[in-house]
Amino acid sequence: MEDRTAIIRKWEEMDIDILVKIFQYFDIFELTSGIAHVCSTWRLAACDPLLWKTLDLSLLRSNYIRIPQEPYVYVDGRSDKTLTRVLKIALNLSRGSIRTLIFHFNLYVSDEQLTYTAERCPQLRRLVMPAWNRIKRTGICRAIKVWEDLESMTMPSIASPLYIMEEISNNCKNFSELKIMGPCDKNFALAISKYLKNLKVLSLRCSMVWKEALNIILDDLPKLEVLNISHCLLVEVPAPPAPKKILRKLDESIMEKASQAPHLREFLTCMDDKCIMCQRARNDEGLVRWYKYEEGLWKADEVRSLAL
């Protein structure tokens, strides 16, 4: 019988394309666990742009406690160190290839971490923002100045949105999609209508929306093509001291405005008492506590381009 000697291949001889295919199944923890240090071939594969079109940090969330003073949260030091370590390794391996950056809504990123990230992914097209608490005005403005190619943002609601909208308007000429995860009042709508005249897609799903804000959006965003207010808590705010009034359905004036909007091709709504998401939005008073519900539910959106 012929004696056959088994061919033993070394790790560094493995085909790079095969390695990249395998690494595409890895999550962010596995990609940053040290695979780039196995050998030079594995490092080349770990730096392949195919792996880094999207930096998905949605598995990372902060360990924190609420505090009464600004920034109203205290983040555990180990949690911060983990985020910093993952960011440094991922941004080093990505070599500027990142086009989509996704943070978990319960990740409390600092100014320094956000700036460090922005400087190392200057070609970003889509951003899913973390919680605002530890990010100062200077931090987000500095990041937006770097992201000149930004086209889409998902962001938590913020009390003073004017400066962010202005910064986007001044620096991101291709910006066209916005999703707000939180209340949209008159001031928020005015900020959007003033600075984001070229906005094409807007999602306010599962949030409290002022009727007056909705009217401003329909009147003053002439290029808007898609508007999603599914599962929103729509409120009418009369002059004080009258209380807010929750509207159970859209009135004819809003529907007429939507039908007359020059470019609006999709007006997505759901205000059904039997709808689970509508019930949750009402129970949470228009600020959905996503942590109470199914993992990853916060990533959903009826607008395909905004879903994660």
Side-chain angles (χ1 to χ4, degrees), residues 2-263:
E2 186 180 351
D3 182 30
R4 296 182 179 179
T5 304
I7 299 175
I8 300 175
R9 296 182 64 184
K10 297 179 180 179
W11 284 114
E12 59 265 27
E13 294 173 348
M14 186 176 286
D15 186 88
I16 288 182
D17 291 338
I18 294 175
L19 277 173
V20 172
K21 283 283 187 185
I22 294 170
F23 292 168
Q24 283 180 309
Y25 290 97
F26 287 12
D27 62 31
I28 188 61
F29 292 116
E30 293 163 335
L31 284 172
T32 57
S33 63
I35 58 173
H37 299 300
V38 172
C39 62
S40 59
T41 303
W42 280 45
R43 182 165 185 83
L44 281 173
C47 292
D48 193 286
L50 285 174
L51 299 176
W52 299 106
K53 288 182 179 178
T54 297
L55 178 55
D56 187 352
L57 300 173
S58 61
L59 290 176
L60 278 163
R61 64 192 72 182
S62 301
N63 293 322
Y64 66 95
I65 57 172
R66 301 281 183 186
I67 57 175
Q69 299 86 22
E70 288 190 10
Y72 305 110
V73 291
Y74 171 79
V75 178
D76 174 61
R78 289 172 297 180
S79 180
D80 245 0
K81 286 179 181 177
T82 297
L83 174 58
T84 298
R85 181 187 65 81
V86 170
L87 282 174
K88 285 185 175 180
I89 297 172
L91 294 170
N92 181 44
L93 293 174
S94 68
R95 298 177 178 177
S97 299
I98 297 166
R99 299 294 184 273
T100 299
L101 176 59
I102 304 171
F103 290 107
H104 193 278
F105 70 92
N106 256 355
L107 187 64
Y108 292 94
V109 176
S110 68
D111 262 359
E112 293 76 15
Q113 290 166 332
L114 184 67
T115 301
Y116 180 87
T117 303
E119 290 170 349
R120 286 157 182 81
C121 51
Q123 299 183 65
L124 197 69
R125 303 286 194 279
R126 184 181 183 189
L127 173 65
V128 178
M129 281 290 294
W132 287 111
N133 297 57
R134 300 172 70 203
I135 300 173
K136 298 182 176 68
R137 176 172 179 164
T138 51
I140 185 59
C141 289
R142 191 180 301 124
I144 291 173
K145 281 184 172 70
V146 175
W147 290 323
E148 294 180 351
D149 296 325
L150 191 67
E151 299 172 0
S152 173
M153 179 189 285
T154 296
M155 58 178 279
S157 187
I158 188 169
S160 303
L162 198 67
Y163 71 89
I164 296 175
M165 302 301 131
E166 183 177 10
E167 207 66 48
I168 292 172
S169 175
N170 291 338
N171 296 281
C172 311
K173 300 307 179 184
N174 296 321
F175 193 84
S176 61
E177 291 189 342
L178 178 64
K179 177 176 180 177
I180 302 167
M181 297 179 66
C184 181
D185 60 11
K186 177 184 176 181
N187 289 335
F188 214 132
L190 286 171
I192 295 171
S193 66
K194 181 176 182 179
Y195 290 110
L196 302 183
K197 289 292 186 184
N198 293 324
L199 197 67
K200 294 181 179 179
V201 178
L202 176 61
S203 179
L204 307 172
R205 74 185 305 269
C206 300
S207 301
M208 180 183 289
V209 178
W210 276 242
K211 180 183 176 183
E212 189 174 5
L214 187 54
N215 282 323
I216 291 168
I217 288 166
L218 289 169
D219 285 337
D220 298 337
L221 291 177
K223 297 186 179 180
L224 195 65
E225 297 177 5
V226 180
L227 175 59
N228 185 13
I229 61 166
S230 299
H231 326 300
C232 281
L233 190 68
L234 189 62
V235 297
E236 193 167 24
V237 186
K244 294 176 185 175
K245 178 184 177 183
I246 297 175
L247 304 180
R248 310 299 286 189
K249 63 178 182 178
L250 293 171
D251 61 35
E252 291 183 7
S253 64
I254 291 175
M255 298 304 296
E256 185 177 353
K257 281 189 179 184
S259 67
Q260 293 176 355
H263 293 97

